[in-house]
Amino acid sequence: MAGSGAAAPTSERILDAAERLFAAKGFAGTSLREITASAGVNVAAVHYHFGSKEELLRAVLSRIVEPVNRERLELLGRAEGAAAPEPPSVEAVLEAFLAPDLRVIRELGERGAVITRFMGRSYTEPSDLVRGMIQEQFGELGRRFHQALCRAVPDVPPDELFWRLMAVVAVVTYMLAVPREEGLGGLLEPDDVDGTLRRMIAFLGPGIRAPAPPRGGQSASARP
Amino acid sequence: MAGSGAAAPTSERILDAAERLFAAKGFAGTSLREITASAGVNVAAVHYHFGSKEELLRAVLSRIVEPVNRERLELLGRAEGAAAPEPPSVEAVLEAFLAPDLRVIRELGERGAVITRFMGRSYTEPSDLVRGMIQEQFGELGRRFHQALCRAVPDVPPDELFWRLMAVVAVVTYMLAVPREEGLGGLLEPDDVDGTLRRMIAFLGPGIRAPAPPRGGQSASARP
DNA sequence: GTCTATAACGGGATAGAC
DNA sequence: GTCTATCCCGTTATAGAC
């Protein structure tokens, strides 16, 4: 894991290169020849190890997403345990959801930046394949966190909380996807993961706790 | 504008088809041949009217973004005028920013859905070209709305407010980009633009007003 | 202005030697 | 397992007829 020399097995070299290039240029925008050239291997090696470009993508994606989502669920379980019979706070749920994404940046250095960018991109990737895989991965995770939010904020309706959870996904996704060199300010500050986490929680927490807007068609501002 | 028959000029037919396909499959994932086949014109017509695939993209993008951003600025100006010498509320600023995006869905019907999806995608599009164009368009707009937020919430530091404005962009971008058929619930509800707008403002408003988190590396809660 | 035809190239995938 | 060589297809772009 630490030795990043040239001695890595071929399939991992391919995965690393594909990860980097998919993150930078998207799936459709990256050719197998770029990947194999960057990995220092032959084009045929991809087909031998993965079978096709699509399967390679699937391999790249699960190598990233699975451990992060596992950590999310683990942190959520720990937060629920620590809160004893009470449900954990909104902030604790948010932290369990956001921290693994942010932490990966610090712990994996340059590759962490690549990974988070790749993940952010994948959520809005045009390819049906990519989004299908993301949703597959997100299904159980989403239900778990939705349920946790419902217990943390019982006075907001569940479907409203689901919408808000999606908004949380939106924020973290976008912040991960936009490269930090790029105008718009240093959105992520990879050196200050804790600060970014506090920033996100300070912004998102009040929105999740906020009372739901009144239902109904176009009634102006009637408020019971 | 209303007559959407086959009598439309070639260049507009190309723009319409390109808009639809770029939205569905991304820039790199769409070929000129798909576009021209869908538009019922010849491949060479693209080069005659636009010069290249990139220039076609630029044309598609500005046709969409420019009127929306113009309306955003106009609504902001109107809100500032209505609030007299006082600055407008956070909610008024948010509405000026969000409403044009949402309204386009209702007013343009199916094409509105296509457009919003295209816009949402473009913000995280892997292509440097696309993002460069988006940023170009966003520059002045971002400054204007940032300034408006700073006056609406003077007790939150400007850079924090800029970060939060980006979070607003993230939410609207994501909600626009995710197709509504797709699991994750009907995030946008194009039939109920007003409801969606209230929902967004109810969620985002409190986050923007929230006190900024304490600064500094890992010092707990020192606040000068 | 719009078409046909073709150039010039790069893409993913595969067969078979080693 | 890994390479070379090649197939076959789709891509952007252009030249020239109409």
Side-chain angles (χ1 to χ4, degrees), chain A residues 64-93:
Chain A
I64 296 172
V65 172
E66 275 170 11
V68 171
N69 281 358
R70 201 172 8 249
E71 192 188 349
R72 279 172 159 157
L73 288 175
E74 194 182 310
L75 286 181
L76 179 59
R78 211 176 300 170
E80 287 175 331
E86 300 297 310
S89 71
V90 168
E91 283 72 18
V93 175

Side-chain angles (χ1 to χ4, degrees), chain B residues 60-223:
Chain B
V60 169
L61 226 148
S62 36
R63 187 176 68 151
I64 296 173
V65 172
E66 274 170 12
V68 171
N69 281 358
R70 203 176 2 255
E71 193 189 349
R72 279 171 158 158
L73 288 174
E74 193 182 310
L75 287 181
L76 179 59
R78 210 176 300 169
E80 285 174 330
E86 300 296 311
S89 71
V90 168
E91 283 72 19
V93 176
L94 279 177
E95 180 165 347
F97 192 81
L98 298 173
D101 264 335
L102 298 177
R103 205 164 300 165
V104 94
I105 301 175
R106 182 177 51 193
E107 287 174 7
L108 294 186
E110 184 52 38
R111 187 177 163 242
V114 168
I115 284 180
T116 52
R117 200 166 164 204
F118 179 82
M119 288 173 57
R121 289 258 165 96
S122 299
Y123 276 83
T124 54
E125 173 87 17
S127 154
D128 290 340
L129 173 75
V130 180
R131 286 201 324 283
M133 289 167 55
I134 287 282
Q135 275 185 58
E136 201 176 311
Q137 299 267 14
F138 184 77
E140 345 114 26
L141 189 81
R143 275 189 296 277
R144 258 316 258 114
F145 275 87
H146 180 221
Q147 173 189 343
L149 281 182
C150 288
R151 285 191 305 174
V153 197
D155 46 316
V156 173
D159 59 328
E160 187 69 26
L161 283 174
F162 188 80
W163 188 93
R164 289 176 181 184
L165 176 60
M166 289 301 102
V168 172
V169 171
V171 171
V172 64
T173 292
Y174 187 82
M175 300 289 172
L176 295 180
V178 175
R180 43 177 197 291
E181 323 89 42
E182 204 149 284
L184 306 191
L187 294 184
L188 261 197
E189 299 293 357
D191 297 333
D192 183 18
V193 173
D194 293 335
T196 304
L197 187 58
R198 284 199 304 267
R199 206 173 215 191
M200 286 188 170
I201 293 179
F203 175 74
L204 295 169
I208 290 183
R209 294 181 188 278
R215 304 281 191 117
Q218 52 236 40
S219 66
S221 58
R223 199 70 152 74

Side-chain angles (χ1 to χ4, degrees), chain A residues 42-128:
Chain A
N42 194 274
V43 203
V46 170
H47 291 95
Y48 178 79
H49 285 283
F50 301 97
S52 72
K53 192 187 178 186
E54 285 197 358
E55 287 303 313
L56 169 61
L57 171 67
R58 168 164 271 119
V60 169
L61 227 149
S62 35
R63 187 177 67 151
I64 296 172
V65 172
E66 275 170 11
V68 171
N69 281 358
R70 201 172 8 249
E71 192 188 349
R72 279 172 159 157
L73 288 175
E74 194 182 310
L75 286 181
L76 179 59
R78 211 176 300 170
E80 287 175 331
E86 300 297 310
S89 71
V90 168
E91 283 72 18
V93 175
L94 280 178
E95 180 164 347
F97 191 82
L98 298 173
D101 264 335
L102 297 176
R103 206 163 300 165
V104 94
I105 300 174
R106 181 176 52 193
E107 287 175 5
L108 294 186
E110 185 51 38
R111 185 173 165 244
V114 169
I115 283 180
T116 53
R117 201 167 162 200
F118 180 81
M119 289 173 58
R121 290 259 164 94
S122 299
Y123 275 85
T124 54
E125 173 86 17
S127 157
D128 291 339

